[in-house]
Amino acid sequence: MACIKSAQRAAQTALAPDAPYLAAGTMTGAIDLSFSNSANIEIFRLDFQSDSPDLPLLASAPSPDRFNRLSWSRPGAVEGDSFALGLLADGLSDGSVAVWNPLSMISSEGKAEDAMVARLEKHTGPVCGLEFSELTPNRLASGAEQGELCIWDLKNPVEPIVYPPPYHHSRRLTCPSGHACGRSTAEAAEQASPCDVCVENNVKYGSFEDRTCC
């Protein structure tokens, strides 16, 4: 298959739900050609009109750490015209979740680092899962390597709802990217040990329930 456009990055990516933009964050464990240890979050325009093979870079900012996950919310996560492109959230290797205003990044005129609006710190290990709710975009689910799951209300993110790891937890949390339990990306799911307990937090509908695997 022919490549139409590209950006040469070792990165986690997320598409803007309602605008022609692509976000990229330096991937954990990646080594670039310069062997740099730096981490950045970048926004590219999905420009298919020009003849250039490269996506135009609109904004770049240094990140506190490298990325395990990256998610872009629909507009409405925070009220106001200054958040018309929604929010960008990145799950970092240090256990924190950084939240950015992508519109502020794009219009920052070289000061995109000022566009970070929050840094959420609750997890004790690297954040391995991250997903915004499609119906209530101010809700963000984050899951860490140690197995705990946090549900954040970004209108008041001081104290999240925390679900501890299930008993007999033995498997690294890879949801809420949605694949460990075979569920959709709108659901935050955590798989416990095989044939034990599958604890599913359905962020889309705001419910919480336990289900047996078999």
Side-chain angles (χ1 to χ4, degrees):
M1 182 179 293
C3 178
I4 300 174
K5 297 282 183 178
S6 67
Q8 299 299 317
R9 301 287 191 277
Q12 298 285 349
T13 60
L15 288 168
D18 300 314
Y21 301 118
L22 171 74
T26 308
M27 183 184 298
T28 299
I31 301 176
D32 61 20
L33 295 177
S34 64
F35 296 96
S36 172
N37 292 322
S38 63
N40 296 283
I41 182 170
E42 299 172 304
I43 296 179
F44 299 86
R45 181 189 298 279
L46 297 177
D47 178 13
F48 299 109
Q49 303 299 319
S50 71
D51 295 329
S52 172
D54 298 322
L55 292 173
L57 177 63
L58 300 181
S60 178
S63 170
D65 207 337
R66 293 200 165 197
F67 294 61
N68 286 320
R69 289 291 185 271
L70 185 61
S71 184
W72 197 322
S73 80
R74 294 186 179 278
V78 180
E79 296 178 357
D81 293 340
S82 59
F83 293 93
L85 290 179
L87 292 173
L88 268 171
D90 45 73
L92 302 179
S93 296
D94 64 2
S96 67
V97 176
V99 183
W100 303 79
N101 181 349
L103 181 60
S104 180
M105 286 185 65
I106 293 171
S107 59
S108 63
E109 297 182 354
K111 297 182 180 180
E113 62 271 13
D114 296 335
M116 183 188 291
V117 296
R119 189 170 181 186
L120 312 177
E121 298 178 316
K122 194 70 175 180
H123 294 293
T124 57
V127 177
C128 299
L130 199 65
E131 190 81 8
F132 281 101
S133 168
E134 293 186 7
L135 297 183
T136 52
N138 58 294
R139 288 188 180 183
L140 175 69
S142 61
E145 190 174 54
Q146 301 303 317
E148 73 273 12
L149 176 68
C150 293
I151 307 297
W152 306 85
D153 182 355
L154 295 181
K155 293 183 178 180
N156 184 25
V158 177
E159 193 63 34
I161 300 172
V162 180
Y163 298 105
Y167 58 89
H168 303 312
H169 176 78
S170 63
R171 196 176 288 183
R172 191 177 81 163
L173 179 64
T174 56
C175 287
S177 61
H179 302 297
C181 297
R183 309 190 191 284
S184 68
T185 56
E187 298 174 331
E190 199 210 347
Q191 180 91 29
S193 55
C195 296
D196 194 350
V197 176
C198 176
V199 179
E200 176 185 328
N201 183 47
N202 189 330
V203 182
K204 182 175 180 180
Y205 297 105
S207 64
F208 185 78
E209 58 180 321
D210 289 345
R211 296 182 180 181
T212 58
C213 291
C214 60

